[in-house]
Amino acid sequence: MWLLRTDQQEDQQKEVHMGDMAADKNSKGKALSAPWTRRVLHAGAVLTGLALLAGAVGAIYGVRAQPRMDGKLAVAGLASKVWVRRDEADVTHISAQSPQDVWRALGFVHAQERGWQLEFNRRLMQGRLSEILGPATLELDQLMRSLDIRGAARRQYQALPPSVQESLQVYSHGIAAFYAKPSQGMAPEFLLLGTKAGEGGASAWDPEDTVGWALMMALDLGGNWGNEFARLNLLQVLSTEQLWQLMPAYPGEQPATAVDLAQFYRQLGVYRNDDAPQKISAPAQQIQSALQQWTGAAVRDMGTNDGLGSNNWVVAGSKTKSGKPLLANDPHLGLSAPAIWYFARLQSPGARAADGSTLSALDVTGATLPGMPFVVLGRTAQVAWGFTNTNPDVQDLYLEQINPADASQYRTPTGWEKFGVREEVFKVKGQSDVKVTLRSTRHGPVVSDAQQQYGKVINTDKYALALRWAALDTDNRTVEAGLKANGAQTVAQLLEAFSGYHSPMQSIVAADVHGAIGFKAAGKVPVRSSANDLRGVAPAPGWDARYDWQGWLSYDQTPQDDGSARGFVATANQRVTEPGYAHFLTQDWSLPYRYQRIEQGLAASNQHDAASMAALQGDVQSLATQALLPVLRSLHSNHALAEQAQQLLAGFEGQMDKARPEPLIFSVWMDELTRGIVIPRIGEQRFAMTYGKRDFRGGLEGILARNDAWWCAPLSCEQQAGEALTRTLSKLQAAYGRDMRQWRWGDAHPALSAHKPFGSVAALAGIFNVSVPSGGDSYTVNVGQYNANPVPADVKAASAKKLLGGRFVSRHAPSLRAIYDLGDLESSRFIYQTGQSGLALSGRYGDMSQEWADGRYRKLQMQPVRWRHVLELQPQKAAKR
């Protein structure tokens, strides 16, 4: 706090000094006698004074809003004192005499550091953003209410064991205790929006909200209903064969279904007529604000996780210098400011739960999620673990046929049944309340009532689209599994703890100090009937019982590997099932480029150490770029810079380095080529609806390899690629000048951790967003995934040219990196892309960003040498009556 205050005072002193210098200089010139000039100078002096006053007020407020990290604080509900210490790496260590006090203190600390993040996430999952943000977020609210995240969370919470409920209760009480007796000023977001934590709800955070946030993580990571709809959309203008050319199955495999999908949907009469009126709600008719663009993209991409992924790997002692295992993990998630993670150590002896059961002792450190009372990714004293997304198909869309004689009914295998109907009232800031009717069927919520894009494609007078999603089931006990994992001390104990894990399915790698390593896919996967010829690839007729799920794979049936065959196990969202695996999981695996690169690195040595793990995490060699470089190098273009570009590309081998021009040329060319080939075949609107998080890379590779005349027409594929290069060079020259040596991939490809919602507000984005130049692409181990369509709303006009409209801004990258050496767990290390604080005025808000971008790490220790801050939380004494 002292450093922050000093820096701000120095900035103010510099401003005053500059003002004195300007006045001095003016006094030496000729006198200014015109009345209008005097008025201008007077107004300028007033504005300068106001600016200085605002700066001083901001500085004072910036200090008051910071959390108390030293001294003593009384916290309601604690049974005994709790130590909250911050070490040199800014990891928060919480030590108490019981797990209950640890969980309560963690809730208090999360509220201290991430109060706005908790509030925004609570409103997001409850569908209540429009109460504070206005009509721009109404469609997103409607989708959340349609999915009924809050209702599902309530049902799942009630089905949890009492001891688990207790842990969530005391955690939420810790958050409430922070707000009951504030020890710091409100986060600036509350002031700017004129709201406060918990406004309009039961409290700032309810126990059910933790379950709800687990569901939101499953929604972010376990979604493929967007792919099903994308296929349905494209099949209106493409044949089934052409669909599989543009969106091919996993390399070396055939599509999961042999059904002629295009004919199938034509026979059903699914599609709307082009002249049919579209049902568009009021916000979509307005001129889109930046906030509306963000909301629209969120709704459009919901249920789509193409291009998203993570890496993890575990190496046996037979392949390491120490003779003990190594484990590395870097989960790739949407970048945000503040980050999704908060690093903490939780420590206490065991205790009794309120129901009389025994709570295990805690000693665990790693990444917590604000909103949850446990370490999600990390290590105990003897075992470490990491996650990637397995991404099985746990979502199916169903075409529900509407009764033409009674629109309140839909068709089932046994006849017509009534839609489930509920009325939802949305409070909208600055407007009257909005009442919306939401429907559900035997499969689940009708998402076509909430996602307007469906009405542009299907005839919603004849059909509704309902979602069957495993995570919404009442038996989802993911939170319980997370709590159990915090007490594991061996690989076997850890994997047993995750046996009750539900959603989203995760590929877990683990290692312990005894030398054991392992991989297990943990989570629920539906079993589909052998008569189900669609296999979840595209929307199924909801009235045909053969498309209903038949049960679940058991835990012992999901993929696993003990690492004995190769001395390592790695997952990067590639296919994790061996040839001949008996069960269908999905066909929507990620392209295997990242996995292949990791496999190369791990197989290349038997002397791995933490340094080689870090080098692999930082690797920006793109095997996907290598695959298409021969095409790019062979092209002819009449652009004046074409020869210089080809000279550069001749020595380029796919290193997507932020400081090089070649990755920039390749990436823009790939985008231009995709647009040039695909848009004429599917149209601008479908392209905008389906490109997004997809880059159609697999499809483009096949089209170019076949020299496919239909896709490339009216030109040859070579001509299409050459014209794309010409357009690329023209755009880059306009943005960066003629000197190609000064072009930098990192300039167009910064890693942007955007704030919600102020990252979309030009006047505030510079304060609330965290941005740093970055390398990589969607296929490098050090991933830097960008969404090239549409143009992001949070790109300022002044920088839009330099950022090429923001199309290549990295928004999905390693949300953290962690490395664990089981031979010396105190040498474990971590980093993530922003900082521990969620307060934009804090020096700890983005202080990790450059370290993250440079591939540096901080220590993740249980026994640090010294403490940077020490805070004692004391039980609050009961008030005297």
Side-chain angles (χ1 to χ4, degrees), residues 303-343:
T304 300
N305 56 15
D306 271 27
L308 312 185
S310 304
N311 306 315
N312 66 14
W313 59 87
V314 60
V315 184
S318 60
K319 292 181 68 66
T320 70
K321 288 182 179 179
S322 69
K324 291 289 188 178
L326 292 162
L327 188 147
N329 188 200
D330 54 294
H332 307 158
L333 298 170
L335 302 181
S336 63
I340 192 171
W341 305 110
Y342 184 84
F343 269 74

Side-chain angles (χ1 to χ4, degrees), residues 625-637:
T625 297
Q626 281 186 345
L628 289 177
L629 270 177
V631 176
L632 180 54
R633 290 184 183 131
S634 68
L635 296 179
H636 171 74
S637 167

Side-chain angles (χ1 to χ4, degrees), residues 73 75-82 100-101 104-105 873-876:
L73 282 176
V75 175
L78 290 177
S80 59
K81 71 178 180 182
V82 177
Q100 292 96 327
D101 273 357
R104 192 183 301 268
L873 301 182
Q874 300 177 323
Q876 183 175 305

Side-chain angles (χ1 to χ4, degrees), residues 216-223 305 308 310 332-333 389 391 504 506:
M216 292 299 292
M217 294 302 299
L219 182 61
D220 186 45
L221 296 172
N305 56 15
L308 312 185
S310 304
H332 307 158
L333 298 170
N389 203 21
N391 199 24
Q506 295 293 291

Side-chain angles (χ1 to χ4, degrees), residues 60-133:
I60 294 170
Y61 169 71
V63 172
R64 288 194 63 246
Q66 301 310 307
R68 280 279 300 278
M69 294 190 290
D70 295 285
K72 298 179 180 181
L73 282 176
V75 175
L78 290 177
S80 59
K81 71 178 180 182
V82 177
W83 292 104
V84 179
R85 304 175 176 96
R86 272 91 170 176
D87 65 18
E88 289 294 309
D90 206 16
V91 175
T92 300
H93 297 243
I94 301 175
S95 301
Q97 294 303 307
S98 70
Q100 292 96 327
D101 273 357
V102 168
W103 296 325
R104 192 183 301 268
L106 181 61
F108 184 90
V109 169
H110 280 165
Q112 270 191 317
E113 300 268 39
R114 303 293 184 87
W116 171 252
Q117 186 177 33
L118 288 167
E119 177 67 12
F120 184 91
N121 291 345
R122 181 180 69 92
R123 288 183 174 275
L124 171 63
M125 63 184 162
Q126 293 180 1
R128 295 178 50 241
L129 285 174
S130 298
E131 294 177 10
I132 58 172
L133 298 179

Side-chain angles (χ1 to χ4, degrees), residues 41-320:
L41 289 175
H42 176 70
V46 171
L47 290 173
T48 300
L50 289 174
L52 290 172
L53 179 60
V57 171
I60 294 170
Y61 169 71
V63 172
R64 288 194 63 246
Q66 301 310 307
R68 280 279 300 278
M69 294 190 290
D70 295 285
K72 298 179 180 181
L73 282 176
V75 175
L78 290 177
S80 59
K81 71 178 180 182
V82 177
W83 292 104
V84 179
R85 304 175 176 96
R86 272 91 170 176
D87 65 18
E88 289 294 309
D90 206 16
V91 175
T92 300
H93 297 243
I94 301 175
S95 301
Q97 294 303 307
S98 70
Q100 292 96 327
D101 273 357
V102 168
W103 296 325
R104 192 183 301 268
L106 181 61
F108 184 90
V109 169
H110 280 165
Q112 270 191 317
E113 300 268 39
R114 303 293 184 87
W116 171 252
Q117 186 177 33
L118 288 167
E119 177 67 12
F120 184 91
N121 291 345
R122 181 180 69 92
R123 288 183 174 275
L124 171 63
M125 63 184 162
Q126 293 180 1
R128 295 178 50 241
L129 285 174
S130 298
E131 294 177 10
I132 58 172
L133 298 179
T137 55
L138 184 56
E139 188 182 7
L140 181 56
D141 281 345
Q142 289 178 6
L143 179 56
M144 291 299 103
R145 300 264 191 107
S146 174
L147 294 173
D148 196 21
I149 298 293
R150 192 177 190 181
R154 186 180 299 112
R155 293 187 293 273
Q156 292 172 11
Y157 172 76
Q158 291 170 350
L160 291 172
S163 60
V164 177
Q165 291 183 356
E166 182 185 10
S167 70
L168 307 191
Q169 290 165 3
V170 296
Y171 173 79
S172 67
H173 293 164
I175 295 173
F178 170 78
Y179 288 109
K181 190 178 179 182
S183 55
Q184 64 198 65
M186 286 193 297
E189 294 91 339
F190 291 109
L191 293 179
L192 289 168
L193 291 170
T195 188
K196 60 183 180 180
E199 193 170 54
S203 65
W205 193 266
D206 294 322
E208 295 92 334
D209 290 331
T210 294
V211 181
W213 195 239
L215 284 173
M216 292 299 292
M217 294 302 299
L219 182 61
D220 186 45
L221 296 172
N224 80 325
W225 94 70
N227 272 348
E228 292 187 36
F229 175 69
R231 293 181 182 118
L232 178 70
N233 187 6
L234 292 169
L235 284 162
Q236 189 174 11
V237 293
L238 298 179
S239 70
T240 303
E241 179 183 10
Q242 290 160 354
L243 170 72
W244 294 127
Q245 290 170 351
L246 184 60
M247 297 179 69
Y250 194 69
E253 298 182 2
Q254 294 298 312
T257 178
V259 172
D260 185 342
L261 296 172
Q263 182 182 17
F264 181 71
Y265 292 123
R266 282 197 300 270
Q267 290 175 340
L268 289 175
V270 167
Y271 299 106
R272 63 181 291 274
N273 297 323
D274 287 340
D275 57 352
Q278 297 180 37
K279 299 174 182 177
I280 305 295
S281 67
Q285 295 171 335
Q286 301 169 2
I287 298 174
Q288 283 205 330
S289 67
L291 187 57
Q292 284 172 322
Q293 290 182 47
W294 169 76
T295 300
V299 174
R300 182 196 66 233
D301 293 333
M302 197 72 71
T304 300
N305 56 15
D306 271 27
L308 312 185
S310 304
N311 306 315
N312 66 14
W313 59 87
V314 60
V315 184
S318 60
K319 292 181 68 66
T320 70

